[in-house]
Amino acid sequence: MRSFLLLVCCIAFSSAAFSCSAQTKEIQTGASQLATGPGSSPVELASKQTGLVVNQSSVVGNTHLVELLLQQGLQVKKIFSPEHGFRGTADAGAKVENSIDPQTGLAVFSLYGKDKKPPAEALEGINLLIFDLQDVGVRYYTYLSTLHYVMEAAAEQNIPLLVLDRPNPNGAYVDGPVLDKNYQSFVGLHPIPLLHGMTLGELALMIKGEGWINKAEQLKLYVLPVKNYQRDMPYELPVRPSPNLPNAQAVALYPSLGFFEATPLSIGRGTDFPFQVLGYTNPPLGKFAFSPVPKVGAALHPPLKNQLVLGLDLREVKAGGLDLSYLIQAQAVFATHQLTLFNAPDFMDKLSGSSKLRQQLEQGWTEPQIRQSWQSELMKFRQQRQPYLLYPDHH
């Protein structure tokens, strides 16, 4: 059923917003349009008791969205924060407790602690939710799962949801295995490819339209799209979306290196170049030497902590999309030494969306063979996502 209520609003404003040297026109995120005043919103804001789903990436220039809306006199009542917390300083996977934000005095309800979904009592008195998080376009990045549960809670409590859209820095790619619903988890809830090539605004429309949440037809969903944006544009994030994605290279390598979270290898957590290296102690994966150490706000317990790691320095490689060569190389080295690469096989299967990729790697499949195995599902997904796309593909 694709007959659903939604309002997609895209209004021209000439406000200051993020710039990117590769573009002739200035990209304006949904948040930057909202910053020009409530009149740019597709839903009336002035009378609403608002809850914001935000973190450190929810900024317009150097100003946080929370401050901008408070300056406009809007009634911001509560903040809901995803993995890594409201200010983005919690370690990956670390539970985040509810708190009070010292700068604004607002209550912060954690969606990465006891609750992943806002319970009814946390939404009491709120009659509008605004979602503004910077995603990186990879299925296992958990902000998409937070969006899913916020949408479901909004539908169940009959609260309108406004998604302020942001570019997808990996938006040019649709690639990787499509998730099998038997492997749903917080690192993958939807039957979409690892690289889906969509923004969170587009995915919100798809989640509702495909009925992937409870009471989807009841949700009043509004999306404020990015202006002057095409999905294949290079877009360097103005703020790191999470502690261990510090730059464009890390974001570009993330789809390929994220799988190594299910192995004993280091991908640079606890260094100054997370998600830009790959290595192990014995057997070594290369000659580049580094030693992970605890880093407050990024990696308190990094894999191979305080050990000499030898591997690959990927800071200067041309990165983009999904590169399976790192997994294939590591699997070959470990197999030669009669070692198991995937020491957390269940987690690997959740990350990849089924057991197929892990089994293909263990059986020695080549990259072309593995890629061929998911082509028909990718073709179906491209057709399925078509009604929900807000941005053109080509310059």
Side-chain angles (χ1 to χ4, degrees), residues 178-382:
V178 173
L179 180 132
D180 176 334
K181 284 191 172 181
N182 293 317
Y183 291 82
Q184 282 180 312
S185 74
F186 200 65
V187 290
L189 286 170
H190 311 107
I192 61 177
L194 183 80
L195 283 158
H196 45 72
M198 299 172 76
T199 66
L200 287 189
E202 292 173 322
L203 281 163
L205 298 176
M206 190 172 192
I207 290 167
K208 175 179 165 62
E210 297 296 317
W212 289 340
I213 54 167
N214 188 31
K215 299 194 173 177
E217 71 289 344
Q218 216 169 276
L219 176 63
K220 296 182 185 72
L221 174 65
Y222 303 86
V223 175
L224 189 54
V226 186
K227 286 198 73 211
N228 305 322
Y229 171 62
Q230 293 167 324
R231 76 186 65 255
D232 57 354
M233 278 179 171
Y235 182 74
E236 191 158 343
L237 304 182
V239 175
R240 65 174 67 189
S242 54
N244 286 290
L245 292 179
N247 54 38
Q249 184 72 351
V251 169
L253 284 164
Y254 180 71
S256 305
L257 298 189
F259 292 115
F260 287 97
E261 306 274 38
T263 76
L265 277 64
S266 170
I267 46 176
R269 290 188 186 275
T271 72
D272 292 333
F273 29 82
F275 283 95
Q276 297 157 81
V277 293
L278 180 65
Y280 195 57
T281 49
N282 188 23
L285 285 190
K287 293 182 178 176
F288 179 67
F290 59 96
S291 291
V293 296
K295 283 189 175 289
V296 176
L300 286 177
H301 306 286
L304 306 180
K305 179 173 71 174
N306 298 326
Q307 297 183 54
L308 180 65
V309 179
L310 293 170
L312 308 173
D313 182 355
L314 306 176
R315 286 174 288 181
E316 302 297 330
V317 303
K318 185 170 171 45
L322 176 57
D323 186 340
L324 294 173
S325 66
Y326 306 120
L327 280 168
I328 290 169
Q329 179 184 344
Q331 173 61 35
V333 170
F334 268 58
T336 300
H337 290 79
Q338 281 84 50
L339 296 171
T340 301
L341 178 63
F342 299 108
N343 62 342
D346 290 349
F347 189 45
M348 175 60 185
D349 296 350
K350 286 176 181 175
L351 290 172
S352 56
S354 81
S355 59
K356 287 181 190 170
L357 178 58
R358 175 177 54 81
Q359 291 168 352
Q360 290 165 343
L361 290 161
E362 290 172 343
Q363 290 163 13
W365 286 36
T366 64
E367 182 154 354
Q369 287 174 322
I370 295 172
R371 287 191 177 283
Q372 186 57 40
S373 72
W374 59 57
Q375 291 310 311
S376 64
E377 284 189 300
L378 287 183
M379 199 177 301
K380 285 181 201 161
F381 170 74
R382 281 183 179 276

Side-chain angles (χ1 to χ4, degrees), residues 25 48 51 57 113 116 167 190 363 367:
K25 286 185 181 175
K48 296 291 193 288
S57 72
K116 297 287 197 294
H190 311 107
Q363 290 163 13
E367 182 154 354

Side-chain angles (χ1 to χ4, degrees), residues 47-126:
S47 65
K48 296 291 193 288
Q49 311 277 312
T50 306
L52 300 183
V53 186
V54 288
N55 67 0
Q56 80 291 341
S57 72
S58 313
V59 292
V60 178
N62 295 319
T63 309
H64 199 281
L65 181 67
V66 173
E67 295 167 42
L68 284 167
L69 297 185
L70 289 171
Q71 286 166 12
Q72 290 177 8
L74 299 180
Q75 301 175 68
V76 179
K77 294 298 175 184
K78 189 177 283 186
I79 293 166
F80 296 88
S81 66
E83 183 176 5
H84 309 295
F86 174 42
R87 298 294 178 184
T89 54
D91 203 352
K95 284 197 172 180
V96 180
E97 300 299 324
N98 298 341
S99 62
I100 300 292
D101 177 48
Q103 292 182 32
T104 60
L106 291 168
V108 180
F109 188 93
S110 172
L111 298 178
Y112 201 79
K114 182 171 65 74
D115 299 292
K116 297 287 197 294
K117 175 177 168 179
E121 58 269 22
L123 294 169
E124 272 179 27
I126 289 172

